[in-house]
């Protein structure tokens, strides 16, 4: 059974750095075609693809966030991390992690999401 | 920068058929862009409907289908039901590991 769960702070202050953890089970991120991707969704708005880390250690970022975003993984702990610097009010969103299959570039499992609010 | 476009809203009569589309501001969507479709109701996690243009995810009824129509990816819903009323997002693979979601279509079932 594949599960993913996001964890991290619900509230961050402007200019702070957000760190989120995606803890997953039911698959290994060293298996061919596996990837874990981050997506966010501001309240009432569209989904936004942020980036992904692949089974072969490739990491890819949205062009719009590339300068602020770092994604990493700890394969031994089945965890993927998101680090987003210089947070501002526009970064207020529900952040999701999901398993993405690189061959089809589609999500097949999603975490429940975690709402992060940026406010002083 | 290329933007993925979707109709902001659409409507369909109960039992009717509707097609939602997913295009690019520059160029055409083809199967190589590996379009996928996701359904989301307010407050819920996205649900994967279609991947690789036209492959249904497990449990998705065959009244939902994906295709390429002209220069866009398309999601067609036939025999619309009340619980089809949702937001629908497409995801496009832009190459070099990068994907982009469309802005979403809010579907109303009348």
């Amino acid at each position: 059974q594949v599960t993913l769960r996001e964890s991290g702070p619900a509230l961050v202050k402007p200019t702070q750095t957000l760190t989120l953890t995606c803890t997953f089970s039911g698959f290994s991120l060293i298996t061919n075609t596996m990837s874990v991707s981050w997506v966010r969704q501001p309240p009432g708005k569209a989904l936004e693809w942020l980036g992904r880390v692949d089974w072969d250690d490739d990491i890819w970022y949205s062009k719009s966030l590339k300068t602020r975003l770092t994604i990493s993984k700890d394969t031994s702990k089945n965890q993927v991390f998101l680090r987003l610097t210089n947070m501002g009010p526009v970064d207020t969103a529900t952040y999701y992690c999901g398993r993405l299959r690189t061959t089809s570039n589609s999500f097949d499992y999603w975490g429940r999401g975690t709402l992060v609010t940026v406010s002083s | 920068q290329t933007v993925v476009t979707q109709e902001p809203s659409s409507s369909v009569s109960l039992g009717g058929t509707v097609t939602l589309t997913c295009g690019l501001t520059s160029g055409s969507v083809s199967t190589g862009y590996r379009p996928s479709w996701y359904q989301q109701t307010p407050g819920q996690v996205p649900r994967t409907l279609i991947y690789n243009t036209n492959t249904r995810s497990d449990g998705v009824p065959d009244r939902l289908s994906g295709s390429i129509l002209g220069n866009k990816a398309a999601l067609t819903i036939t025999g619309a039901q009340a619980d089809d009323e949702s937001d629908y997002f497409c995801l496009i693979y832009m190459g070099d590991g990068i994907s982009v979601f469309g802005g979403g279509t809010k579907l109303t079932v009348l």
Side-chain angles (χ1 to χ4, degrees), chain B residues 3 10 15 21 24 27 29 40 57 65 71-72 79 89 91 100 106-108:
Chain B
V3 173
S10 187
T21 67
L24 301 173
V29 177
Q40 188 184 37
S57 290
S65 61
N71 61 350
K72 297 181 180 181
F89 297 95
L91 179 68
V100 179
K106 183 178 183 62
L107 180 66
T108 300

Side-chain angles (χ1 to χ4, degrees), chain A residues 1-9 19-27 35-39 72 74 77-82 94-99 109-116, chain B residues 45:
Chain A
Q1 180 187 4
V2 173
T3 65
L4 303 102
R5 186 184 77 249
E6 306 85 355
S7 59
T19 300
L20 295 177
T21 301
C22 176
T23 303
F24 59 88
S25 64
F27 68 99
S35 179
V36 171
S37 185
W38 288 96
V39 174
S72 59
D74 185 332
K77 293 184 178 179
N78 281 356
Q79 291 181 323
V80 171
F81 308 99
L82 172 148
T94 296
Y95 286 75
Y96 297 97
C97 63
R99 190 177 83 167
Y109 292 94
W110 295 77
R112 296 177 66 177
T114 186
L115 175 62
V116 178
Chain B
V45 176

Side-chain angles (χ1 to χ4, degrees), chain B residues 12-83:
Chain B
V12 60
S13 299
L14 202 62
T17 297
V18 64
T19 297
L20 310 182
T21 67
C22 175
L24 301 173
T25 53
S26 178
S28 301
V29 177
S30 63
T31 56
Y33 284 86
R34 307 180 209 169
S36 52
W37 291 89
Y38 305 86
Q39 177 191 37
Q40 188 184 37
T41 52
Q44 299 299 311
V45 176
R47 172 195 180 198
T48 305
L49 299 176
I50 302 284
Y51 62 94
N52 267 345
T53 305
N54 56 14
T55 304
R56 278 182 289 274
S57 290
D58 290 345
V60 175
D62 60 7
R63 59 187 189 79
L64 274 69
S65 61
S67 63
I68 299 292
L69 285 181
N71 61 350
K72 297 181 180 181
L75 173 69
T76 299
I77 302 173
T78 59
Q81 301 178 359
D83 60 5

Side-chain angles (χ1 to χ4, degrees), chain A residues 32-101:
Chain A
N32 193 4
T33 78
M34 294 297 169
S35 179
V36 171
S37 185
W38 288 96
V39 174
R40 72 179 179 180
Q41 186 174 36
K45 295 190 177 181
L47 299 171
E48 179 184 10
W49 185 86
L50 303 181
R52 79 184 211 207
V53 56
D54 294 351
W55 62 279
D56 58 359
D57 298 334
D58 280 340
I59 301 175
W60 311 96
Y61 297 109
S62 160
K63 289 184 179 180
S64 62
L65 290 172
K66 191 173 183 178
T67 59
R68 299 171 51 210
L69 180 62
T70 303
I71 294 174
S72 59
K73 64 175 179 173
D74 185 332
T75 304
S76 66
K77 293 184 178 179
N78 281 356
Q79 291 181 323
V80 171
F81 308 99
L82 172 148
R83 184 173 179 269
L84 188 60
T85 61
N86 193 24
M87 292 285 285
V90 297
D91 297 309
T92 293
T94 296
Y95 286 75
Y96 297 97
C97 63
R99 190 177 83 167
L100 183 142
R101 306 301 297 270

